[in-house]
Amino acid sequence: MRKTLLLILLLCSITSFSQTKKDTTSSIKLDAILISTQRFAKPKRKVTQQVESISKIEMETGNFQTSPDVLANSGILAVQKSQQGGGSPNIRGFEASRILLVVDGIRMNNLIYRAGHLQNSITVDKNILESIDVLFGPSSTIFGSDALGGAIYFQTRDPKLLSESNGKKLTGNFISNYSSSNNGFLGHLDLNYATEKWASLTSFSYNDYGDLKMGKRKNGSNDFFGERPTFVQTNNGVDEVVLNDSRYVQKFSGYKQYDFLQKIIYQQNENTEHSLNFQYSNSSDVPRYDRLTDLTSKGKLKFATWNYGPQKRLLSAYKLSQKKVFLNSDLNLTASYQNIEESRINRNFGNPNQSSRVDNVSVFAINADFRTKIGKGDFIYGADIYYDDLNSTGVKKNIVTYAETVTDSRYPDGKNNTFRAEGFISYSNDITKTASYNASARAGYTTLNSEIATNFLKLPYTTMSQESLIYSGAVGIVNNASKNSKIAFNLASGFRVPNIDDLAKIFDSSAGTLIVPNKNIKPEKSVTADLSITLWKGKQFQLENVFYYTRLYDAIIISPYLLNGQSSIIYEGENSLIYANQNQGNGAISGISSTVKSYITKSLLLYGTFNFTHGRVQHDNEKEPLDHIAPYYGKAGLKYESDLLNLDLYMLYNDKKKLSEYSPSGEDNLKYAPIGGTLSWQTYNLKATLLLSNQYTFFSGIENILDIQYRTFASGINASGRNIFLGGKYQF
């Protein structure tokens, strides 16, 4: 595998530097790319932090089913899945609440984002995205808490005024496709209505995914793994184990989802713009597939039901953009409200009592960004204020008698809230004609309050509260020494303030293990240094290598814990060892990521990515593997582009992960991996886009052509087998 990757890199270098300069139709455009993830737009050449972008065209031609699937197929980060309806991105060994999800400049992370595996990116409709930008390394000075490993910035499309829509008042797109591996169907419609002063964009998507079929062929010489020979079926309140008609069909992995977006902009004058943004995502019950395959100590299926209830996300926001309002500063002011509902529904086999735990989160936020000039440099400053509120309930229902009783909730069932008020500054300027620098800082104050109204576990306390002063900083320098090179160095710190999930969660993370509250934890922090070296030749070749090293302090890790002097407790009828989140020493993460793109001819692009991460944490005078450290992975492909036809033949690859490299915390889900750990795998994929006219586009392709059976690192469900998809887009 390593020899293959080196050959690709070498071939790209040879083919690019041996060719003459051409005026390519599709090219590597460094100067044209603007990064909006720095609070205000900024040329990519002057950004010291590593940022990778996925465009709307790449998402459309790739014909991916969900936003996590877009990320998983990019080759620039890893994605974990516990069920088909999910996807937890991993950036440089950080995952879930240690990376930040942002949509249209608004934080998605809230007070119940967990540190394990997080599936919330599924609620962002990829059909209405303009781009996805991935920020690598600490981004706390830009966005605040949680961005230890980086941030993923989802930018939805904006309405277009009449001047931007070629004089057409009504424009839109209709997209539909079908996928064979899960009988998946997508229908999407968006409409843009434009006038000279205001515009409206309306979008609706509906997705219906059936049970996912895994690959039927062995992964090399490895044994078959993850097949589904039986499943539980319930009739008239009686559970029975049923033989699966096809052991390759992952029974009870399907789900449905719909997404709605409404945006309105009003251009008051050349200096003032108002915008409204409304988003709503909802789903059917989403089966937690990995839990449905859990076995008891006697080797029988443990659960009859284990679902995430409908995943609901509502966002409403108002934004004011105005030039020259204060000290000659441009202003972006956003006031937003989010409501998120998550629920967990589970019932043991043969037990008529079904537990439902519902968590409802409200998030209120005000964000103010200002930009002005100090001398010749750009000065950005502002403030962020957030208030999160949680209502957590638990109900146990008998599916035969329908009798209901109150049971323990996932989080304390009293008052739960967090408050954050933070300010930030950033300054960037040129040192010479080719070199520039930037420096930024953030500081603030946070509070957390949690109240246990019903003390089911008889904890020695019923209230928890914390106050924290937080701070972070970053400094970077970039030198474009010539037209063909760029060197950037960045040093940044990040922080993550413990939330309700960290302090107060009550959860059976696996069979015989119970996580209980611990109010004595403090923020975890990171410091990262990275060096990027980029070489290119005109618009035809680019090679970027980024080397990084991160120190993690006061790492929050799930470890054995004593509750009332006891190390175990009877929970849900089972004797469970007690664990809790605790600050357990310091960690170190290092790695390299490489990206290469080279046009062999005007229409033929050779490209590849490579990512390697190594992580360790030290506590109790011992070094252990950090969790969430994926084995090396990447993507290599050959793409043909013309005005009529685009073809993309590519390989996704992943190395194996040995048992010795798994974290003892359990977050790497060794129990759902093959014996011996994660296996290496490669899939081959071919995708085609046919552009018949400015109105009609057709998509077709085959994923996992060899129908290989495999499971991605830390996942609890097998990946798709051979998938044939067909789709089309009508633009009017």
Side-chain angles (χ1 to χ4, degrees):
M1 175 59 69
R2 291 183 176 88
K3 292 181 179 179
T4 302
L5 296 174
L6 291 173
L7 181 60
I8 291 172
L9 295 174
L10 180 60
L11 180 59
C12 287
S13 302
I14 294 173
T15 55
S16 61
F17 282 105
S18 63
Q19 62 183 334
T20 58
K21 186 176 181 179
K22 296 180 178 68
D23 183 19
T24 55
T25 303
S26 295
S27 56
I28 300 167
K29 300 175 182 178
L30 294 174
D31 293 322
I33 298 175
L34 292 177
I35 303 301
S36 59
T37 51
Q38 311 296 306
R39 311 291 290 224
F40 283 91
K42 191 174 184 180
K44 190 175 182 181
R45 275 183 181 268
K46 293 190 176 183
V47 175
T48 58
Q49 185 177 12
Q50 182 190 2
V51 181
E52 299 291 343
S53 300
I54 305 171
S55 68
K56 178 180 69 173
I57 294 177
E58 290 176 292
M59 286 183 272
E60 284 187 351
T61 57
N63 207 67
F64 308 111
Q65 292 188 337
T66 66
S67 293
D69 290 340
V70 173
L71 297 169
N73 282 267
S74 67
I76 59 176
L77 47 71
V79 174
Q80 181 273 351
K81 282 193 174 186
S82 296
Q83 66 274 345
Q84 184 179 189
S88 185
N90 182 316
I91 303 176
R92 292 186 177 180
F94 290 97
E95 191 182 329
S97 60
R98 288 181 177 137
I99 64 173
L100 186 67
L101 302 182
V102 182
V103 59
D104 294 339
I106 300 168
R107 290 170 53 101
M108 292 177 62
N109 293 42
N110 56 60
L111 79 173
I112 65 168
Y113 266 39
R114 55 190 179 273
H117 305 290
L118 200 66
Q119 317 297 327
N120 297 65
S121 58
I122 197 78
T123 65
V124 179
D125 181 13
K126 67 94 181 174
N127 299 290
I128 200 61
L129 288 176
E130 182 66 31
S131 64
I132 301 176
D133 292 331
V134 182
L135 289 77
F136 294 83
S139 304
S140 291
T141 55
I142 304 172
F143 295 115
S145 180
D146 301 357
L148 290 175
I152 299 176
Y153 192 107
F154 299 100
Q155 179 63 56
T156 63
R157 300 209 317 260
D158 288 325
K160 293 182 178 180
L161 296 169
L162 204 59
S163 59
E164 303 168 306
S165 60
N166 297 323
K168 296 178 67 175
K169 284 192 173 183
L170 185 64
T171 57
N173 300 277
F174 174 73
I175 301 173
S176 181
N177 62 43
Y178 171 80
S179 299
S180 64
S181 66
N182 59 359
N183 289 322
F185 170 78
L186 159 71
H188 167 81
L189 176 67
D190 62 75
L191 298 170
N192 188 94
Y193 182 77
T195 67
E196 292 183 355
K197 287 284 190 178
W198 71 275
S200 167
L201 175 64
T202 305
S203 167
F204 179 78
S205 295
Y206 175 76
N207 299 279
D208 186 348
Y209 304 125
D211 294 332
L212 182 65
K213 300 174 187 175
M214 67 182 75
K216 296 180 181 179
R217 295 186 57 190
K218 281 187 177 184
N219 180 8
S221 60
N222 300 296
D223 292 333
F224 287 106
F225 174 77
E227 296 173 9
R228 183 84 151 131
T230 60
F231 59 90
V232 177
Q233 185 171 284
T234 305
N235 293 311
N236 298 320
V238 179
D239 299 328
E240 59 179 336
V241 177
V242 178
L243 292 176
N244 196 354
D245 292 337
S246 173
R247 63 183 185 274
Y248 304 111
V249 175
Q250 298 178 94
K251 198 69 176 177
F252 302 126
S253 59
Y255 72 103
K256 299 178 177 64
Q257 179 174 319
Y258 64 86
D259 300 274
F260 175 78
L261 175 143
Q262 177 64 59
K263 277 188 170 183
I264 297 174
I265 62 169
Y266 172 60
Q267 190 78 47
Q268 182 176 337
N269 52 53
E270 63 180 8
N271 292 325
T272 306
E273 180 179 284
H274 307 267
S275 66
L276 295 174
N277 187 348
F278 178 84
Q279 300 175 26
Y280 182 70
S281 177
N282 196 4
S283 71
S284 64
D285 284 353
V286 180
R288 175 74 187 264
Y289 183 81
D290 56 355
R291 289 306 189 94
L292 292 176
T293 64
D294 281 351
L295 301 176
T296 65
S297 58
K298 296 181 180 180
K300 297 182 179 181
L301 290 171
K302 180 178 179 180
F303 293 103
T305 301
W306 215 118
N307 296 330
Y308 286 119
Q311 298 186 72
K312 301 177 183 179
R313 180 181 68 89
L314 181 147
L315 164 68
S316 57
Y318 163 75
K319 182 178 180 180
L320 169 66
S321 298
Q322 194 165 10
K323 297 180 180 178
K324 315 302 180 187
V325 294
F326 175 72
L327 297 178
N328 206 33
S329 300
D330 296 339
L331 165 69
N332 283 333
L333 176 66
T334 303
S336 63
Y337 167 75
Q338 296 181 75
N339 183 266
I340 301 95
E341 181 179 298
E342 298 181 0
S343 55
R344 292 162 175 81
I345 305 164
N346 63 281
R347 184 174 62 84
N348 287 357
F349 182 88
N351 188 335
N353 294 315
Q354 179 169 282
S355 298
S356 298
R357 296 173 172 90
V358 181
D359 303 309
N360 192 283
V361 176
S362 295
V363 181
F364 303 86
I366 297 177
N367 311 100
D369 306 338
F370 298 88
R371 180 176 66 175
T372 189
K373 287 280 188 180
I374 296 183
K376 294 183 179 180
D378 287 326
F379 181 61
I380 298 173
Y381 59 101
D384 298 324
I385 299 175
Y386 293 93
Y387 178 80
D388 293 19
D389 182 79
L390 165 67
N391 181 41
S392 187
T393 59
V395 174
K396 187 168 289 187
K397 179 179 179 179
N398 188 301
I399 65 170
V400 177
T401 66
Y402 301 104
E404 292 187 357
T405 57
V406 175
T407 188
D408 57 307
S409 51
R410 178 176 171 87
Y411 301 107
D413 55 349
K415 295 180 180 179
N416 301 278
N417 57 71
T418 58
F419 172 78
R420 296 193 304 277
E422 303 167 10
F424 65 91
I425 57 173
S426 174
Y427 183 72
S428 59
N429 202 351
D430 293 335
I431 302 173
T432 66
K433 291 183 178 180
T434 61
S436 60
Y437 73 94
N438 60 63
S440 57
R442 173 180 287 261
Y445 171 74
T446 73
T447 66
L448 178 150
N449 295 285
S450 182
E451 178 185 71
I452 301 172
T454 310
N455 196 355
F456 285 97
L457 293 181
K458 295 182 172 54
L459 295 172
Y461 46 83
T462 57
T463 61
M464 290 169 279
S465 63
Q466 280 198 344
E467 296 181 0
S468 301
L469 293 176
I470 51 88
Y471 54 88
S472 66
V475 61
I477 185 170
V478 57
N479 184 27
N480 295 276
S482 69
K483 294 181 179 180
N484 300 325
S485 65
K486 169 188 169 183
I487 299 177
F489 175 78
N490 200 64
L491 181 65
S493 65
F495 62 88
R496 186 173 79 86
V497 179
N499 59 22
I500 296 293
D501 187 90
D502 295 307
L503 267 78
K505 173 174 59 180
I506 302 171
F507 181 58
D508 57 329
S509 63
S510 61
T513 300
L514 179 68
I515 298 173
V516 300
N518 175 19
K519 63 179 182 178
N520 299 314
I521 54 176
K522 55 187 178 181
E524 53 184 356
K525 300 168 285 292
S526 70
V527 177
T528 297
D530 53 47
L531 174 69
S532 66
I533 303 173
T534 307
L535 303 174
W536 63 83
K537 182 180 180 184
K539 298 178 179 179
Q540 293 139 341
F541 172 79
Q542 178 185 344
L543 173 62
E544 181 178 26
N545 290 299
V546 181
F547 307 89
Y548 57 88
Y549 178 77
T550 297
R551 292 289 298 177
L552 182 62
Y553 300 96
D554 297 319
I556 298 175
I557 297 174
I558 297 175
S559 300
Y561 187 72
L562 293 178
L563 179 63
N564 296 327
Q566 297 180 333
S567 60
S568 65
I569 191 173
I570 301 298
Y571 183 77
E572 296 284 350
E574 184 173 353
N575 187 48
S576 300
L577 296 175
I578 298 174
Y579 283 72
N581 281 311
Q582 300 168 67
N583 295 106
Q584 293 283 341
N586 302 326
I589 301 173
S590 58
I592 178 175
S593 64
S594 298
T595 303
V596 63
K597 301 176 183 177
S598 178
Y599 277 93
I600 301 173
T601 68
K602 181 179 179 180
S603 302
L604 196 60
L605 172 67
L606 184 65
Y607 65 92
T609 66
F610 174 80
N611 304 273
F612 172 77
T613 306
H614 180 269
R616 290 288 186 270
V617 63
Q618 182 168 351
H619 65 93
D620 296 333
N621 297 319
E622 293 184 4
K623 283 188 176 181
E624 297 175 348
L626 264 173
D627 48 15
H628 305 297
I629 305 296
Y632 78 73
Y633 62 92
K635 181 178 181 180
L638 192 63
K639 183 181 291 186
Y640 172 79
E641 301 168 320
S642 72
D643 294 335
L644 178 64
L645 178 67
N646 289 340
L647 293 173
D648 191 8
L649 176 64
Y650 66 91
M651 174 185 70
L652 295 172
Y653 64 88
N654 206 294
D655 194 23
K656 63 182 178 181
K657 181 149 182 154
K658 300 177 182 178
L659 292 178
S660 59
E661 291 298 313
Y662 273 78
S663 167
S665 70
E667 295 291 3
D668 289 343
N669 284 338
L670 180 58
K671 62 177 291 187
Y672 297 121
I675 296 175
T678 298
L679 305 173
S680 63
W681 54 266
Q682 305 87 39
T683 64
Y684 300 90
N685 313 270
L686 176 63
K687 298 185 176 181
T689 304
L690 182 63
L691 304 108
L692 293 183
S693 66
N694 291 331
Q695 288 185 301
Y696 296 97
T697 305
F698 291 95
F699 310 101
S700 182
I702 307 177
E703 297 173 315
N704 193 0
I705 295 173
L706 300 182
D707 202 26
I708 295 299
Q709 188 181 92
Y710 71 102
R711 181 171 291 192
T712 57
F713 166 65
S715 293
I717 185 171
N718 277 14
S720 171
R722 183 184 295 117
N723 178 45
I724 300 173
F725 67 83
L726 296 169
K729 174 184 175 182
Y730 173 63
Q731 185 174 350
F732 56 91

